[in-house]
């Protein structure tokens, strides 16, 4: 007999593996602006957040950041720290907002908010530690515009994934009550 924690552990591991795969694939996608990526792995984080809760989303996120950095050879590099800072900033903002989903805030709203927080988290770390140049804040408006666009894409994809009955039966955890 399978216990609920073991089932949740398997879901977290599967979702983390999927997020790692997406993040690794995404690094191969050329970007017109260095450092700006669509954030496809964040779809997995959002799906985990709304289906399994904040702790599961934190586990998937930490596994994704560490796993993808191990595969890409970027452990403890500036890119690793930027990825971690952005991911943790997004989760910190999403934690209180989860109570508003889905009644007052959609997956799109969660995704855009997370993308903005992710960008701000990365920017603040870069400005405070990596590139403390006084002109760096001039980059923030275009970075936030990119975050808005990628957040919209991520939100649309997340809503599509959450609405798909083939996916729902695999990710929704019947032992948690996610109703608003």
């Amino acid at each position: 007999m399978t216990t609920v924690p073991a089932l949740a552990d398997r879901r977290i591991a599967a979702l983390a593996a999927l997020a790692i795969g997406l993040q690794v694939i995404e690094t191969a996608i050329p970007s017109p602006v260095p450092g700006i990526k669509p954030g496809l792995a964040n779809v997995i984080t959002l799906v985990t957040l709304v289906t399994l809760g904040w702790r599961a989303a934190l586990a998937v996120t930490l596994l994704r950041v560490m796993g993808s950095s191990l595969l890409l050879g970027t452990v403890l590099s500036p890119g690793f720290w930027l990825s971690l800072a952005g991911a943790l900033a997004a989760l910190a903002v999403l934690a209180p907002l989860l109570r508003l989903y889905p009644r007052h805030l959609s997956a799109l709203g969660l995704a855009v908010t997370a993308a903005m927080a992710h960008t701000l988290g990365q920017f603040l770390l870069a400005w405070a530690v990596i590139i403390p140049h006084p002109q760096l804040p001039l980059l923030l408006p275009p970075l936030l515009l990119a975050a808005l666009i990628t957040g919209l894409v991520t939100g649309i994809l997340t809503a599509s994934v959450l609405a798909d009955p083939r996916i729902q039966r695999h990710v929704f955890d019947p032992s948690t009550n996610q109703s608003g």
Side-chain angles (χ1 to χ4, degrees), residues 70-130:
L70 284 169
L71 288 171
L72 297 169
T74 60
V75 177
L76 303 181
S77 72
F80 167 81
W81 294 111
L82 289 168
S83 179
L84 183 62
L88 293 177
L91 281 175
V93 168
L94 288 171
L97 293 179
L98 183 57
R99 292 185 210 106
L100 301 175
Y101 176 84
R103 194 175 191 144
H104 302 291
L105 193 61
S106 68
L108 189 64
L110 289 174
V112 168
T113 305
M116 294 291 191
H118 186 98
T119 297
L120 284 171
Q122 286 186 327
F123 177 82
L124 290 174
L125 177 65
W127 192 27
V129 177
I130 301 170

Short mmCIF file of all heavy atoms in Angstrom, two decimals, residues 70-130:
data_model
loop_
_atom_site.label_atom_id
_atom_site.label_comp_id
_atom_site.label_asym_id
_atom_site.label_seq_id
_atom_site.Cartn_x
_atom_site.Cartn_y
_atom_site.Cartn_z
N LEU A 70 23.90 21.44 -11.68
CA LEU A 70 24.82 20.30 -11.73
C LEU A 70 24.99 19.81 -13.17
O LEU A 70 26.10 19.54 -13.62
CB LEU A 70 24.32 19.16 -10.84
CG LEU A 70 24.52 19.33 -9.34
CD1 LEU A 70 23.75 18.27 -8.57
CD2 LEU A 70 26.00 19.27 -8.99
N LEU A 71 23.86 19.69 -13.88
CA LEU A 71 23.92 19.22 -15.26
C LEU A 71 24.62 20.21 -16.19
O LEU A 71 25.30 19.81 -17.14
CB LEU A 71 22.51 18.93 -15.79
CG LEU A 71 21.83 17.70 -15.21
CD1 LEU A 71 20.37 17.64 -15.64
CD2 LEU A 71 22.56 16.44 -15.63
N LEU A 72 24.45 21.50 -15.92
CA LEU A 72 25.04 22.53 -16.78
C LEU A 72 26.45 22.95 -16.33
O LEU A 72 27.11 23.73 -17.02
CB LEU A 72 24.13 23.75 -16.82
CG LEU A 72 22.75 23.51 -17.43
CD1 LEU A 72 21.83 24.70 -17.18
CD2 LEU A 72 22.88 23.22 -18.91
N GLY A 73 26.87 22.45 -15.18
CA GLY A 73 28.21 22.80 -14.69
C GLY A 73 28.31 24.21 -14.17
O GLY A 73 29.37 24.83 -14.27
N THR A 74 27.23 24.73 -13.59
CA THR A 74 27.25 26.11 -13.11
C THR A 74 27.09 26.23 -11.59
O THR A 74 26.77 27.31 -11.09
CB THR A 74 26.13 26.92 -13.80
OG1 THR A 74 24.87 26.32 -13.48
CG2 THR A 74 26.33 26.99 -15.30
N VAL A 75 27.31 25.14 -10.86
CA VAL A 75 27.14 25.16 -9.40
C VAL A 75 28.04 26.23 -8.80
O VAL A 75 29.23 26.30 -9.11
CB VAL A 75 27.44 23.79 -8.78
CG1 VAL A 75 27.33 23.83 -7.27
CG2 VAL A 75 26.49 22.74 -9.33
N LEU A 76 27.46 27.06 -7.97
CA LEU A 76 28.13 28.15 -7.25
C LEU A 76 28.68 29.25 -8.15
O LEU A 76 29.41 30.12 -7.68
CB LEU A 76 29.23 27.61 -6.32
CG LEU A 76 28.76 26.58 -5.28
CD1 LEU A 76 29.94 26.14 -4.42
CD2 LEU A 76 27.63 27.11 -4.43
N SER A 77 28.32 29.24 -9.42
CA SER A 77 28.69 30.33 -10.33
C SER A 77 27.72 31.49 -10.11
O SER A 77 26.68 31.32 -9.46
CB SER A 77 28.61 29.86 -11.78
OG SER A 77 27.25 29.70 -12.16
N PRO A 78 28.00 32.67 -10.66
CA PRO A 78 27.04 33.77 -10.54
C PRO A 78 25.66 33.38 -11.10
O PRO A 78 24.64 33.76 -10.52
CB PRO A 78 27.68 34.89 -11.36
CG PRO A 78 29.14 34.62 -11.25
CD PRO A 78 29.27 33.12 -11.26
N GLY A 79 25.63 32.61 -12.19
CA GLY A 79 24.35 32.18 -12.74
C GLY A 79 23.55 31.33 -11.78
O GLY A 79 22.33 31.44 -11.69
N PHE A 80 24.22 30.48 -11.02
CA PHE A 80 23.56 29.66 -10.01
C PHE A 80 22.91 30.54 -8.95
O PHE A 80 21.75 30.37 -8.60
CB PHE A 80 24.57 28.70 -9.37
CG PHE A 80 24.04 28.03 -8.12
CD1 PHE A 80 23.22 26.93 -8.20
CD2 PHE A 80 24.38 28.52 -6.86
CE1 PHE A 80 22.73 26.31 -7.05
CE2 PHE A 80 23.91 27.92 -5.70
CZ PHE A 80 23.07 26.80 -5.80
N TRP A 81 23.69 31.49 -8.43
CA TRP A 81 23.18 32.37 -7.37
C TRP A 81 22.05 33.26 -7.87
O TRP A 81 21.08 33.51 -7.15
CB TRP A 81 24.31 33.20 -6.76
CG TRP A 81 25.29 32.33 -6.04
CD1 TRP A 81 26.57 32.05 -6.41
CD2 TRP A 81 25.04 31.57 -4.84
NE1 TRP A 81 27.14 31.17 -5.50
CE2 TRP A 81 26.23 30.87 -4.54
CE3 TRP A 81 23.94 31.43 -4.00
CZ2 TRP A 81 26.34 30.03 -3.42
CZ3 TRP A 81 24.05 30.59 -2.89
CH2 TRP A 81 25.24 29.91 -2.62
N LEU A 82 22.15 33.72 -9.11
CA LEU A 82 21.07 34.53 -9.69
C LEU A 82 19.81 33.70 -9.85
O LEU A 82 18.70 34.16 -9.55
CB LEU A 82 21.51 35.12 -11.03
CG LEU A 82 22.56 36.22 -10.95
CD1 LEU A 82 23.12 36.54 -12.32
CD2 LEU A 82 21.98 37.47 -10.28
N SER A 83 19.97 32.46 -10.31
CA SER A 83 18.82 31.58 -10.47
C SER A 83 18.16 31.31 -9.12
O SER A 83 16.94 31.38 -8.98
CB SER A 83 19.27 30.27 -11.12
OG SER A 83 18.18 29.37 -11.26
N LEU A 84 18.98 31.03 -8.12
CA LEU A 84 18.45 30.75 -6.78
C LEU A 84 17.76 31.98 -6.20
O LEU A 84 16.66 31.88 -5.64
CB LEU A 84 19.58 30.28 -5.87
CG LEU A 84 19.17 29.88 -4.45
CD1 LEU A 84 18.20 28.70 -4.48
CD2 LEU A 84 20.40 29.55 -3.62
N ALA A 85 18.39 33.14 -6.34
CA ALA A 85 17.80 34.38 -5.80
C ALA A 85 16.46 34.68 -6.46
O ALA A 85 15.48 35.02 -5.78
CB ALA A 85 18.75 35.56 -6.00
N GLY A 86 16.39 34.54 -7.77
CA GLY A 86 15.14 34.78 -8.48
C GLY A 86 14.06 33.80 -8.08
O GLY A 86 12.91 34.19 -7.83
N ALA A 87 14.43 32.54 -7.99
CA ALA A 87 13.45 31.51 -7.64
C ALA A 87 12.91 31.71 -6.23
O ALA A 87 11.70 31.61 -5.99
CB ALA A 87 14.09 30.13 -7.77
N LEU A 88 13.79 32.01 -5.28
CA LEU A 88 13.34 32.21 -3.90
C LEU A 88 12.53 33.49 -3.75
O LEU A 88 11.55 33.53 -2.98
CB LEU A 88 14.54 32.20 -2.96
CG LEU A 88 15.26 30.85 -2.83
CD1 LEU A 88 16.47 30.98 -1.91
CD2 LEU A 88 14.32 29.76 -2.35
N ALA A 89 12.89 34.54 -4.49
CA ALA A 89 12.10 35.77 -4.45
C ALA A 89 10.70 35.52 -4.98
O ALA A 89 9.70 35.99 -4.41
CB ALA A 89 12.79 36.87 -5.26
N ALA A 90 10.60 34.77 -6.07
CA ALA A 90 9.28 34.46 -6.64
C ALA A 90 8.45 33.65 -5.65
O ALA A 90 7.26 33.95 -5.43
CB ALA A 90 9.44 33.69 -7.95
N LEU A 91 9.04 32.64 -5.03
CA LEU A 91 8.29 31.82 -4.06
C LEU A 91 7.88 32.63 -2.83
O LEU A 91 6.79 32.43 -2.29
CB LEU A 91 9.11 30.61 -3.65
CG LEU A 91 9.12 29.47 -4.65
CD1 LEU A 91 10.07 28.37 -4.19
CD2 LEU A 91 7.72 28.91 -4.87
N ALA A 92 8.74 33.54 -2.40
CA ALA A 92 8.41 34.38 -1.25
C ALA A 92 7.19 35.24 -1.53
O ALA A 92 6.35 35.45 -0.65
CB ALA A 92 9.61 35.25 -0.87
N VAL A 93 7.07 35.73 -2.75
CA VAL A 93 5.91 36.55 -3.12
C VAL A 93 4.68 35.67 -3.33
O VAL A 93 3.56 36.07 -3.00
CB VAL A 93 6.24 37.36 -4.39
CG1 VAL A 93 5.01 38.00 -4.99
CG2 VAL A 93 7.28 38.42 -4.08
N LEU A 94 4.89 34.48 -3.85
CA LEU A 94 3.75 33.59 -4.13
C LEU A 94 3.13 33.01 -2.86
O LEU A 94 1.94 32.70 -2.86
CB LEU A 94 4.19 32.45 -5.06
CG LEU A 94 4.46 32.85 -6.50
CD1 LEU A 94 5.08 31.69 -7.26
CD2 LEU A 94 3.18 33.32 -7.19
N ALA A 95 3.91 32.85 -1.82
CA ALA A 95 3.40 32.23 -0.59
C ALA A 95 2.11 32.89 -0.08
O ALA A 95 1.10 32.21 0.10
CB ALA A 95 4.48 32.20 0.48
N PRO A 96 2.11 34.20 0.13
CA PRO A 96 0.86 34.81 0.62
C PRO A 96 -0.23 34.90 -0.47
O PRO A 96 -1.42 34.92 -0.15
CB PRO A 96 1.28 36.20 1.09
CG PRO A 96 2.55 36.49 0.36
CD PRO A 96 3.21 35.18 0.12
N LEU A 97 0.19 34.95 -1.73
CA LEU A 97 -0.79 35.08 -2.82
C LEU A 97 -1.54 33.79 -3.10
O LEU A 97 -2.61 33.82 -3.70
CB LEU A 97 -0.10 35.57 -4.10
CG LEU A 97 0.46 36.97 -4.06
CD1 LEU A 97 1.13 37.31 -5.38
CD2 LEU A 97 -0.62 37.99 -3.74
N LEU A 98 -0.98 32.67 -2.67
CA LEU A 98 -1.63 31.38 -2.94
C LEU A 98 -3.03 31.33 -2.34
O LEU A 98 -3.93 30.72 -2.91
CB LEU A 98 -0.77 30.23 -2.40
CG LEU A 98 -1.29 28.82 -2.67
CD1 LEU A 98 -1.49 28.59 -4.16
CD2 LEU A 98 -0.36 27.79 -2.08
N ARG A 99 -3.24 32.02 -1.23
CA ARG A 99 -4.57 32.05 -0.60
C ARG A 99 -5.62 32.70 -1.50
O ARG A 99 -6.81 32.46 -1.36
CB ARG A 99 -4.51 32.81 0.72
CG ARG A 99 -3.73 32.09 1.78
CD ARG A 99 -3.82 32.84 3.11
NE ARG A 99 -2.59 32.60 3.84
CZ ARG A 99 -1.62 33.47 4.01
NH1 ARG A 99 -1.74 34.68 3.54
NH2 ARG A 99 -0.54 33.17 4.67
N LEU A 100 -5.17 33.53 -2.42
CA LEU A 100 -6.08 34.23 -3.32
C LEU A 100 -6.44 33.43 -4.56
O LEU A 100 -7.34 33.80 -5.31
CB LEU A 100 -5.49 35.57 -3.74
CG LEU A 100 -5.16 36.54 -2.61
CD1 LEU A 100 -4.46 37.77 -3.16
CD2 LEU A 100 -6.42 36.92 -1.85
N TYR A 101 -5.71 32.33 -4.79
CA TYR A 101 -5.93 31.50 -5.98
C TYR A 101 -7.00 30.46 -5.67
O TYR A 101 -6.97 29.85 -4.61
CB TYR A 101 -4.64 30.81 -6.41
CG TYR A 101 -4.84 29.87 -7.58
CD1 TYR A 101 -4.82 30.35 -8.87
CD2 TYR A 101 -5.08 28.52 -7.38
CE1 TYR A 101 -5.02 29.50 -9.94
CE2 TYR A 101 -5.29 27.68 -8.43
CZ TYR A 101 -5.26 28.16 -9.71
OH TYR A 101 -5.48 27.32 -10.77
N PRO A 102 -7.92 30.18 -6.54
CA PRO A 102 -8.24 30.76 -7.83
C PRO A 102 -9.36 31.79 -7.75
O PRO A 102 -9.75 32.35 -8.76
CB PRO A 102 -8.69 29.55 -8.64
CG PRO A 102 -9.39 28.70 -7.64
CD PRO A 102 -8.63 28.91 -6.34
N ARG A 103 -9.85 32.03 -6.56
CA ARG A 103 -11.02 32.89 -6.41
C ARG A 103 -10.78 34.34 -6.81
O ARG A 103 -11.60 34.97 -7.47
CB ARG A 103 -11.50 32.81 -4.97
CG ARG A 103 -12.84 33.35 -4.74
CD ARG A 103 -13.24 33.10 -3.31
NE ARG A 103 -14.64 33.40 -3.18
CZ ARG A 103 -15.46 32.75 -2.42
NH1 ARG A 103 -15.01 31.75 -1.70
NH2 ARG A 103 -16.71 33.09 -2.35
N HIS A 104 -9.62 34.90 -6.40
CA HIS A 104 -9.34 36.31 -6.65
C HIS A 104 -8.13 36.55 -7.55
O HIS A 104 -7.90 37.68 -7.98
CB HIS A 104 -9.12 37.05 -5.33
CG HIS A 104 -10.27 36.97 -4.39
ND1 HIS A 104 -11.47 37.59 -4.64
CD2 HIS A 104 -10.43 36.31 -3.22
CE1 HIS A 104 -12.31 37.32 -3.65
NE2 HIS A 104 -11.70 36.55 -2.78
N LEU A 105 -7.37 35.52 -7.79
CA LEU A 105 -6.15 35.65 -8.58
C LEU A 105 -5.99 34.40 -9.43
O LEU A 105 -6.06 33.28 -8.91
CB LEU A 105 -4.94 35.82 -7.65
CG LEU A 105 -3.63 36.27 -8.26
CD1 LEU A 105 -3.76 37.65 -8.90
CD2 LEU A 105 -2.55 36.31 -7.18
N SER A 106 -5.80 34.60 -10.71
CA SER A 106 -5.68 33.46 -11.63
C SER A 106 -4.24 32.98 -11.72
O SER A 106 -3.33 33.61 -11.18
CB SER A 106 -6.15 33.89 -13.03
OG SER A 106 -5.24 34.84 -13.56
N ALA A 107 -4.04 31.89 -12.45
CA ALA A 107 -2.69 31.40 -12.72
C ALA A 107 -1.89 32.46 -13.45
O ALA A 107 -0.68 32.62 -13.23
CB ALA A 107 -2.75 30.10 -13.53
N LEU A 108 -2.55 33.22 -14.30
CA LEU A 108 -1.89 34.30 -15.03
C LEU A 108 -1.38 35.37 -14.05
O LEU A 108 -0.24 35.84 -14.16
CB LEU A 108 -2.85 34.91 -16.04
CG LEU A 108 -2.29 35.90 -17.04
CD1 LEU A 108 -1.28 35.23 -17.96
CD2 LEU A 108 -3.41 36.51 -17.85
N GLY A 109 -2.20 35.74 -13.09
CA GLY A 109 -1.80 36.71 -12.08
C GLY A 109 -0.64 36.21 -11.23
O GLY A 109 0.30 36.96 -10.93
N LEU A 110 -0.70 34.94 -10.85
CA LEU A 110 0.40 34.35 -10.09
C LEU A 110 1.70 34.37 -10.90
O LEU A 110 2.77 34.71 -10.40
CB LEU A 110 0.07 32.91 -9.69
CG LEU A 110 -1.00 32.70 -8.62
CD1 LEU A 110 -1.29 31.22 -8.46
CD2 LEU A 110 -0.59 33.33 -7.30
N ALA A 111 1.59 34.01 -12.18
CA ALA A 111 2.77 33.91 -13.03
C ALA A 111 3.42 35.27 -13.27
O ALA A 111 4.65 35.39 -13.21
CB ALA A 111 2.41 33.25 -14.36
N VAL A 112 2.62 36.27 -13.53
CA VAL A 112 3.18 37.60 -13.77
C VAL A 112 3.83 38.13 -12.50
O VAL A 112 4.94 38.67 -12.53
CB VAL A 112 2.09 38.58 -14.30
CG1 VAL A 112 2.59 40.02 -14.28
CG2 VAL A 112 1.67 38.18 -15.71
N THR A 113 3.17 37.95 -11.36
CA THR A 113 3.74 38.39 -10.09
C THR A 113 5.05 37.66 -9.81
O THR A 113 6.04 38.28 -9.40
CB THR A 113 2.74 38.15 -8.94
OG1 THR A 113 1.51 38.80 -9.26
CG2 THR A 113 3.27 38.67 -7.63
N ALA A 114 5.06 36.36 -10.05
CA ALA A 114 6.28 35.57 -9.82
C ALA A 114 7.40 36.01 -10.75
O ALA A 114 8.56 36.10 -10.33
CB ALA A 114 5.98 34.08 -10.01
N ALA A 115 7.08 36.28 -12.00
CA ALA A 115 8.11 36.71 -12.96
C ALA A 115 8.72 38.05 -12.54
O ALA A 115 9.93 38.25 -12.63
CB ALA A 115 7.52 36.81 -14.36
N MET A 116 7.88 38.96 -12.08
CA MET A 116 8.38 40.27 -11.62
C MET A 116 9.28 40.09 -10.40
O MET A 116 10.36 40.68 -10.32
CB MET A 116 7.21 41.20 -11.27
CG MET A 116 6.38 41.60 -12.44
SD MET A 116 7.32 42.68 -13.53
CE MET A 116 6.03 43.24 -14.58
N ALA A 117 8.83 39.28 -9.44
CA ALA A 117 9.62 39.04 -8.23
C ALA A 117 10.93 38.34 -8.57
O ALA A 117 11.99 38.66 -8.00
CB ALA A 117 8.81 38.22 -7.23
N HIS A 118 10.87 37.39 -9.49
CA HIS A 118 12.07 36.67 -9.93
C HIS A 118 13.10 37.66 -10.50
O HIS A 118 14.28 37.63 -10.12
CB HIS A 118 11.67 35.63 -10.99
CG HIS A 118 12.77 34.74 -11.43
ND1 HIS A 118 12.95 33.48 -10.92
CD2 HIS A 118 13.76 34.93 -12.33
CE1 HIS A 118 14.00 32.93 -11.49
NE2 HIS A 118 14.51 33.79 -12.35
N THR A 119 12.63 38.52 -11.36
CA THR A 119 13.52 39.51 -11.98
C THR A 119 14.09 40.47 -10.93
O THR A 119 15.28 40.77 -10.95
CB THR A 119 12.77 40.28 -13.08
OG1 THR A 119 12.39 39.35 -14.09
CG2 THR A 119 13.63 41.37 -13.69
N LEU A 120 13.24 40.93 -10.03
CA LEU A 120 13.72 41.84 -8.98
C LEU A 120 14.73 41.16 -8.06
O LEU A 120 15.73 41.76 -7.67
CB LEU A 120 12.55 42.40 -8.18
CG LEU A 120 11.76 43.49 -8.88
CD1 LEU A 120 10.49 43.83 -8.09
CD2 LEU A 120 12.60 44.73 -9.09
N GLY A 121 14.46 39.90 -7.72
CA GLY A 121 15.39 39.15 -6.88
C GLY A 121 16.75 39.00 -7.54
O GLY A 121 17.80 39.23 -6.91
N GLN A 122 16.74 38.66 -8.81
CA GLN A 122 17.99 38.54 -9.55
C GLN A 122 18.70 39.89 -9.67
O GLN A 122 19.91 40.00 -9.49
CB GLN A 122 17.74 37.97 -10.95
CG GLN A 122 17.41 36.51 -10.95
CD GLN A 122 17.30 35.97 -12.36
OE1 GLN A 122 16.89 36.67 -13.28
NE2 GLN A 122 17.66 34.70 -12.52
N PHE A 123 17.93 40.91 -9.99
CA PHE A 123 18.50 42.24 -10.17
C PHE A 123 19.15 42.74 -8.88
O PHE A 123 20.27 43.26 -8.90
CB PHE A 123 17.43 43.23 -10.63
CG PHE A 123 17.97 44.63 -10.75
CD1 PHE A 123 18.66 45.01 -11.88
CD2 PHE A 123 17.83 45.53 -9.71
CE1 PHE A 123 19.20 46.29 -11.99
CE2 PHE A 123 18.36 46.80 -9.80
CZ PHE A 123 19.05 47.18 -10.94
N LEU A 124 18.45 42.58 -7.76
CA LEU A 124 19.00 43.07 -6.49
C LEU A 124 20.28 42.35 -6.11
O LEU A 124 21.23 42.98 -5.63
CB LEU A 124 17.95 42.95 -5.38
CG LEU A 124 16.77 43.92 -5.52
CD1 LEU A 124 15.71 43.63 -4.46
CD2 LEU A 124 17.24 45.37 -5.44
N LEU A 125 20.33 41.04 -6.35
CA LEU A 125 21.57 40.31 -6.08
C LEU A 125 22.69 40.79 -7.01
O LEU A 125 23.81 41.03 -6.57
CB LEU A 125 21.38 38.80 -6.23
CG LEU A 125 22.65 37.98 -6.04
CD1 LEU A 125 23.16 38.08 -4.61
CD2 LEU A 125 22.42 36.54 -6.43
N ALA A 126 22.37 40.93 -8.28
CA ALA A 126 23.38 41.38 -9.25
C ALA A 126 23.91 42.76 -8.88
O ALA A 126 25.11 43.01 -8.91
CB ALA A 126 22.79 41.39 -10.66
N TRP A 127 23.01 43.66 -8.53
CA TRP A 127 23.40 45.04 -8.22
C TRP A 127 24.18 45.12 -6.90
O TRP A 127 25.16 45.85 -6.78
CB TRP A 127 22.18 45.92 -8.18
CG TRP A 127 22.47 47.39 -8.15
CD1 TRP A 127 23.57 48.03 -8.65
CD2 TRP A 127 21.64 48.41 -7.61
NE1 TRP A 127 23.47 49.39 -8.46
CE2 TRP A 127 22.29 49.65 -7.82
CE3 TRP A 127 20.42 48.40 -6.98
CZ2 TRP A 127 21.75 50.85 -7.41
CZ3 TRP A 127 19.87 49.61 -6.58
CH2 TRP A 127 20.53 50.81 -6.79
N ALA A 128 23.75 44.34 -5.91
CA ALA A 128 24.39 44.42 -4.59
C ALA A 128 25.72 43.69 -4.54
O ALA A 128 26.64 44.12 -3.83
CB ALA A 128 23.45 43.83 -3.54
N VAL A 129 25.87 42.61 -5.31
CA VAL A 129 27.04 41.76 -5.14
C VAL A 129 27.88 41.60 -6.41
O VAL A 129 29.09 41.70 -6.37
CB VAL A 129 26.61 40.35 -4.64
CG1 VAL A 129 27.80 39.42 -4.51
CG2 VAL A 129 25.86 40.46 -3.32
N ILE A 130 27.24 41.35 -7.53
CA ILE A 130 27.98 40.97 -8.74
C ILE A 130 28.44 42.18 -9.55
O ILE A 130 29.60 42.27 -9.95
CB ILE A 130 27.13 40.01 -9.60
CG1 ILE A 130 26.79 38.76 -8.78
CG2 ILE A 130 27.87 39.62 -10.87
CD1 ILE A 130 25.78 37.84 -9.42
#
